[in-house]
Amino acid sequence: MGNVRAPRSLRFEAAAGSADDTNYSGKKVSAVAGLIAVASFSGAEAQQSNLPPVTVDAPVARPRPAASKPSADHVRARTALRAARRAQPTQAAPVAFPNAGGLPPDRDPYADPAAPYKGDRVQASGKFPEPILNTPKSVTVLTKQVLEDKNATTLKQAILSTAGVTLGTGEGGNAFGDRFFIRGFDARNDVVIDGVRDAGVSVRENFFTEQVEILRGPGSSFAGRGTTGGAINIVTKQATTEKSFYNMDTTFGTDQTKRVVLDVNQVISPTLAVRAGGLFQDANVAGRSYVTDDRNGAFVAGTWKPIDAVKITGNYIHTELTGIPDFGVPYYRPSTASTAGGPFTDFGVNRHNFYGFVNRDFYRTGQDIGTINAEVQITPDLMISNKTRESRSTQNYIGTLPEAPVIKNPLSASTLSANPQSRFQVTDVFANQTEATYKFNDGVGFKHTALAGFEYDNERSSIDKYLGLSSEALPGGFSGNGSLTGVSVFSPQFTNLPFGIPAGLSGLPTKLTIDTKSVYVLDTANYNDLVILNGGVRYDDYNIKTSGYGTVNGVANVFGQQQQDYGMPNFNLGLTLKPLPNGSVYAAYATSSNPVGAEFDGTSVQYGGLAPVLNGNPSQIFGPEKNKAIELGTKWELFDRHLLLTAALFQTEKENARESMNVTAATQTAACPYPAGTTGTVSCISAGAAYRIRGIDLGVGGKITDKWSVFGGLVLMQSEVTKSNIPPANTILFGSNVGLPLANIAHQSFSMLSKYQLNDTWELGGQAVYRSKIYGGTFLAANQGTSIPSYWRFDAFAEAKIDKNWTVKLFVNNIFDKRYYDALYQSAAPFVLEAPGRAAYLVISARY
């Protein structure tokens, strides 16, 4: 072998900018040890190969000059800095391009990277600058990992497995779409996407969703009108410049589900990235005959940071859901009080029974949402942002409601009316938000994050219905609007009737326009992480216009219109005390307002909408419903701060609530006078009622150990109508609404998702969900004597990591094939929405 010349010396220096002499000494020791090992190994090789020895000059410790010895003040300052670093909550450090930190680039940026079931922050960092631990409000965050382990492909699936949230049926002529109750209050139009209201009830897919945030309690100062029980914020996927990735998830299900989701992020440069995704699904629904659930969609998002002080992001989302709609099963109301009623499927009817018409019924609901957001960092402490959105949502369907059953003896001979429900609704929204966020110290120890904003929303909707809904096979059997009587409850015999193409829309739409101009100021003041003050005020200038057609005194297609304008001031206050860095105790107070007509799917006041005033009908001019709430709570991060526990007591009161009643000339009241020149019974709406909901809200999310993750909650509520203007003689079955609980909500609910990592390959998990009995009722109280039973549902899943790129996951939903119900319609003869039966899904995921 030839001779090898060794270097004369190797020298090592501390990293530039290092302020820790201990670390520097440690680095020198490590370097010396490494060099000794290298030298020993090289010497051995040299002896074996007759090479000359290698000489290594290790760094020599030099005595520190006396003048450089730190003073006592320096030592105390350095000790304090180290203690502060140790006290900081564990968070993901910023990852430099290209993904130098080793974290997956498609991670949820708002979750704890070491405990992905735990949400650390909400998306609206300007309005909620503190971590969730320090925020005086109950916040439930369904992180990206939680959504994946729930196999929740729609917002409805995610919400229904979360404590404290109940599903209702669409009302006011719209029996379709997402309708949620949070803490007992209708929140169907309190859904926002990236902080901008998503007006109009729709069915929302999750393929473009990063996480879902449920902000509980009144929040008009944060989100605008409504938000009495809370708001739901859908956080969308954004492009990232960290690293390119290519993801695909393919699902096969026993309910004939075939689903493919693509998610691709391409880094073009360190300052520019584009992300795109696609969805295809073809599926049936387990336990329900004829019902289909097909979906397709796409999204594209971009991030551009031309200079350090400017960041521009944008995205466009398109979804389209199609299929045959399911309006459930009829409700059995026995003639004797000794027999309890319930869904007919609890009295022997096959759960698969479908009461619609497969050759007529369809649904096609879609959304197109385009958003652009610009952020400019004027100074290190001042940032200006502007977000602009244009969106269009469509509800287009013909469905069949199984209503008004005729009870016969024997029960198997009972019949019902198959009543058509149709709608063609287009909702367009233009929204613009401009906000300024300023951080400053006030000189007395408080660090402030102040936000001032202006928001303009223009919401426009047109609602029409279909004509010509009768079958060619039974030309005389259908009523003029397409309703068919005599349908067997136990063996529906008209499912496959032939239908011609519907005659088209009526051409007499109801049109609504809402203009809202809002200004708001919020401030969060933090005193040394010991005391945190939070407060905000908002003023909404709300204007609604509606026009449409109706029938007055036998004259059809009479045109009417109405306009109302409100000014709605609201505020919130919060105080958080931190006895320890990992815990907080808080008290909060907030208000909100519900103006008439804010619910876009309703075409009358009793369903949350605003009907046009027609000649001879009473005017529907009511002030906004007023809400106020107080919440006392505590939050703690345990197990190395990877598990968040929350507990809260809350009470919300509503005043000037609206009620519905039917009146005649003999039963009219001062609140509901009988209009002159009218015959028969008319519906009347009055305002001035009140009710209260109070309860306890418990939550958990994160990791108990390195291998065991949990996410869940328990919500217990008590509700009561405290004031009613409806005379006892006009209520149904009950002497008075006062003292009754509210309808359409589960007063007790529980959910728990848990998984355990067995080894580097296998994970096992499951979910338990409980909902208490839900009572039916009209506009306000549980006064119909109807209900759907409580239930437990259990799910399970197993995950196998094949290698670093491929994962296989098996889900079994509703393991015991439990027959349960999601919601019931509010009429006296309601239909009931039946939940899916047992189904298994195999999900194959690729990550590159």
Side-chain angles (χ1 to χ4, degrees), residues 155-167:
L155 181 63
K156 172 183 171 182
Q157 290 175 320
I159 292 298
L160 276 181
S161 58
T162 304
V165 186
T166 308
L167 183 72

Side-chain angles (χ1 to χ4, degrees), residues 375-597:
E375 299 176 355
V376 180
Q377 197 76 43
I378 305 298
T379 70
D381 298 320
L382 175 63
M383 186 181 74
I384 306 294
S385 66
N386 181 272
K387 182 179 294 182
T388 302
R389 173 173 296 168
E390 183 74 40
S391 68
R392 166 166 285 199
S393 301
T394 59
Q395 282 274 49
N396 183 15
Y397 65 85
I398 300 174
T400 305
L401 310 184
E403 295 183 307
V406 178
I407 308 302
K408 298 182 180 180
N409 189 11
L411 190 62
S412 59
S414 300
T415 61
L416 56 79
S417 294
N419 296 325
Q421 187 77 50
S422 70
R423 174 166 293 218
F424 182 80
Q425 177 173 354
V426 179
T427 302
D428 294 297
V429 178
F430 172 81
N432 182 270
Q433 292 179 353
T434 301
E435 295 179 343
T437 303
Y438 183 54
K439 298 182 179 181
F440 65 96
N441 298 331
D442 60 10
V444 295
F446 282 95
K447 296 181 179 180
H448 293 256
T449 301
L451 181 143
F454 171 79
E455 181 175 348
Y456 172 72
D457 293 280
N458 175 257
E459 305 163 62
R460 310 169 304 280
S461 191
S462 175
I463 305 173
D464 206 343
K465 62 182 180 181
Y466 282 93
L467 301 176
L469 302 180
S470 298
S471 170
E472 300 170 340
L474 298 173
F478 284 82
S479 66
N481 65 358
S483 178
L484 180 65
T485 60
V487 177
S488 172
V489 172
F490 280 73
S491 300
Q493 68 272 39
F494 301 116
T495 302
N496 292 293
L497 284 177
F499 281 85
I501 299 174
L505 300 173
S506 72
L508 303 171
T510 297
K511 294 190 176 183
L512 302 97
T513 300
I514 296 178
D515 278 301
T516 308
K517 296 178 283 293
S518 308
V519 291
Y520 47 94
V521 178
L522 302 101
D523 185 28
T524 299
N526 186 320
Y527 182 78
N528 293 330
D529 271 343
L530 297 175
V531 179
I532 302 172
L533 302 176
N534 175 276
V537 295
R538 182 180 181 120
Y539 182 84
D540 293 311
D541 179 15
Y542 171 90
N543 179 277
I544 181 171
K545 301 175 184 178
T546 181
S547 64
Y549 302 84
T551 300
V552 176
N553 296 331
V555 179
N557 302 335
V558 177
F559 180 80
Q561 55 187 347
Q562 185 172 181
Q563 178 175 344
Q564 295 189 35
D565 188 86
Y566 305 106
M568 297 180 295
N570 287 286
F571 70 96
N572 72 284
L573 294 171
L575 169 65
T576 302
L577 304 177
K578 291 183 63 61
L580 291 172
N582 65 318
S584 67
V585 180
Y586 67 89
Y589 182 87
T591 68
S592 65
S593 304
N594 294 92
V596 173

Side-chain angles (χ1 to χ4, degrees), residues 153 205 249-261 279-286 290-297 320-324 363 840-841:
T153 61
E205 241 286 338
D249 299 288
T250 304
T251 304
F252 301 95
T254 57
D255 58 1
Q256 308 304 310
T257 292
K258 297 174 285 293
R259 177 183 173 94
V260 179
V261 175
L279 161 71
F280 165 80
Q281 175 175 303
D282 181 84
N284 297 335
V285 176
Y290 303 106
V291 180
T292 57
D293 181 14
D294 303 333
R295 312 174 198 170
N296 63 76
E320 186 172 9
L321 286 68
T322 61
I324 297 179
Y363 72 88
Y841 302 92

